[in-house]
Amino acid sequence: MAWDFSTEPDFQEKLDWVKQFCEEKVEPLDHVFPHAVRVPIPAVKTYVRELQQEVKDQGLWAIFLDEELGGPGFGQLKLGLLNEVIGRYAGAPHMFGASAPDTGNMEMLAAYGTEEQKERWLKPLLNQDMFSAYSMTEPQGGSDPSLFKTHAVQYGDEWVINGEKWFTSAGRVADILFVMCTNGMFVVPRNTPGVEIMPEPRNHNHIVYTDVRVPLDHLLGPPNGAKTLAQRRLGGGRIHHAMRTIAQCNLAFDMMCERALSRESHGKIISEHQMVQEKIAESYAMIKMLRLFVLETAWKIDNTSTMEARTEIAAVKFTMAKVLREVSFNALHVLGSLGTTDLTPIQAMYAAAPTMGIADGVDEVHIATVARRVLRDYRPHEGNFPTEFLPYKREEAKKKLQPVLEARPDLAAAAEAYQEYIKRRG
């Protein structure tokens, strides 16, 4: 039996390269040209392509895809270690061809798309010649597919889609929309007539589909296969969010510790105050526990499947939002008034925590799912008392030990004497 928490030397070299690359090239670009990948300026686009080529030369492009789907095939555990670095920098996922929501959409295309669909959409998405959005949740039903109303009807050689979607992240700037209908998953170009993007929200868009017509070959996967595709997409997406959340928590923690050693209050450095020490210690433990949980879940996916790890994925999903909320809150307090401004990443992290508890299914649903799945392995006890009721355990112990006592009179005498001693003591 082996428990090994070390990283292979060859892969550690990759991690070291990624860390240096992000610090020296990605982070400066983030601050000078935010969202550089989408900046239309030719000089910026050329520089971005040069950086992305460096990533490709390292064999780190599209790191989330299995080898048979066109990626490096690292598996979820190694992907988790990479995301602990990449998730710290806003622009890094784009630089590694691994940014949401494109990642999940590419996984669906790679797994379920026809060769023609892969050529038309997957290759351009992989090359970042186009971008996508995932249009799933609805105003009246949230993320519960049983309440969805958006539907596609076949008329001749076209599908006609009608419905309303809510919280389609990056829908406004996407080239194609992956629209989940009650009877299938459809790829819809954003500029298709009938696609109306509401003015608000600005980033997570409200989209109305009115008589939207797409060719028959825009159906992805089998008819009525939307739920299957969605589970494939969201299962991976949830643990990838958790991996990147660890990076954000580490960033908040680093800022908190640095600040604790730099500020004075009531005549001493604030790191000497017990309340600050408590926040640091609790944050440290929470991050460590989340990290081990995420990596164990990734390991299980690698050794079984996303379906087999459903309980762990759901548990990781609601845990990550809680840890991000607590750690960013602690960091905000240690930074004081500065933490409440937009001059550090802390305020954005704290504001993002509730969103993380809602995106990809609300935490309450995942909590209920985990409870139901865990309880499958248990049975109700008989009678009024649980199986660990001590009088029951003692009686059972006597029965199990009786053959030994009968074979060993000296031990039986010792047991009887010991019981008498216990009675006398009360």
Side-chain angles (χ1 to χ4, degrees), residues 91-361:
H94 282 293
M95 289 299 171
F96 287 79
S99 59
D102 290 323
T103 49
N105 295 336
M106 283 190 274
E107 281 185 308
M108 287 195 298
L109 275 170
Y112 296 100
T114 64
E115 291 306 313
E116 195 278 332
Q117 288 174 333
K118 291 177 184 178
E119 189 70 28
R120 186 191 305 175
W121 297 311
L122 180 56
K123 284 187 177 180
L125 284 172
L126 278 170
N127 294 329
Q128 291 186 355
D129 293 324
M130 67 166 54
F131 297 94
S132 65
Y134 187 49
S135 204
M136 183 186 78
T137 59
E138 298 191 2
Q140 80 292 336
S143 58
D144 185 349
S146 66
L147 299 176
F148 287 176
K149 296 180 180 179
T150 303
H151 189 74
V153 177
Q154 183 179 345
Y155 285 107
D157 58 355
E158 291 182 317
W159 291 101
V160 180
I161 300 171
N162 281 281
E164 195 172 353
K165 292 292 183 178
W166 170 252
F167 230 70
T168 299
S169 302
R172 184 182 303 281
V173 293
D175 298 291
I176 54 175
L177 305 162
F178 287 73
V179 184
M180 185 175 179
C181 295
T182 57
N183 57 332
M185 187 78 71
F186 297 85
V187 181
V188 179
R190 179 178 52 82
N191 59 3
T192 304
V195 176
E196 183 182 5
I197 299 179
M198 301 292 104
E200 300 293 341
R202 296 292 299 172
N203 297 322
H204 305 285
N205 306 124
H206 180 188
I207 304 178
V208 177
Y209 298 89
T210 306
D211 293 331
V212 174
R213 294 176 176 271
V214 294
L216 295 181
D217 63 2
H218 282 46
L219 170 66
L220 179 60
N224 298 310
K227 290 183 181 180
T228 300
L229 270 69
Q231 283 304 315
R232 167 66 182 256
R233 185 193 188 284
L234 293 173
R238 286 165 185 147
I239 190 166
H240 297 164
H241 275 313
M243 293 170 181
R244 290 188 289 269
T245 297
I246 295 168
Q248 290 294 297
C249 289
N250 281 329
L251 176 57
F253 185 75
D254 290 346
M255 294 176 63
M256 173 168 43
C257 292
E258 179 189 64
R259 190 68 165 179
L261 293 170
S262 306
R263 293 278 288 182
E264 288 189 19
S265 173
H266 298 286
K268 56 184 177 181
I269 300 297
I270 63 172
S271 63
E272 297 175 9
H273 290 291
Q274 284 188 332
M275 290 186 69
V276 173
Q277 292 171 349
E278 181 180 17
K279 291 181 185 300
I280 291 171
E282 289 182 347
S283 297
Y284 175 83
M286 283 188 285
I287 296 170
K288 285 291 185 182
M289 287 188 283
L290 174 62
R291 181 175 189 259
L292 287 173
F293 194 8
V294 170
L295 293 179
E296 184 202 11
T297 302
W299 175 87
K300 184 170 182 178
I301 294 172
D302 286 342
N303 287 277
T304 56
S305 67
T306 301
M307 291 297 288
E308 287 292 322
R310 280 177 294 176
T311 303
E312 289 83 357
I313 291 172
V316 158
K317 196 276 177 188
F318 70 76
T319 302
M320 69 174 178
K322 185 184 299 183
V323 173
L324 178 61
R325 182 181 69 240
E326 295 300 320
V327 171
S328 61
F329 182 77
N330 287 343
L332 190 155
H333 271 249
V334 171
L335 264 71
S337 58
L338 179 62
T340 67
T341 71
D342 59 0
L343 298 176
T344 77
I346 295 295
Q347 183 65 250
M349 279 186 214
Y350 186 57
T355 302
M356 296 299 290
I358 295 173
D360 289 350

Side-chain angles (χ1 to χ4, degrees), residues 39-54:
V39 172
I41 302 170
V44 177
K45 198 168 188 64
T46 298
Y47 183 58
V48 167
R49 292 297 193 191
E50 290 173 3
L51 296 184
Q52 290 176 333
Q53 188 58 51
E54 291 187 43

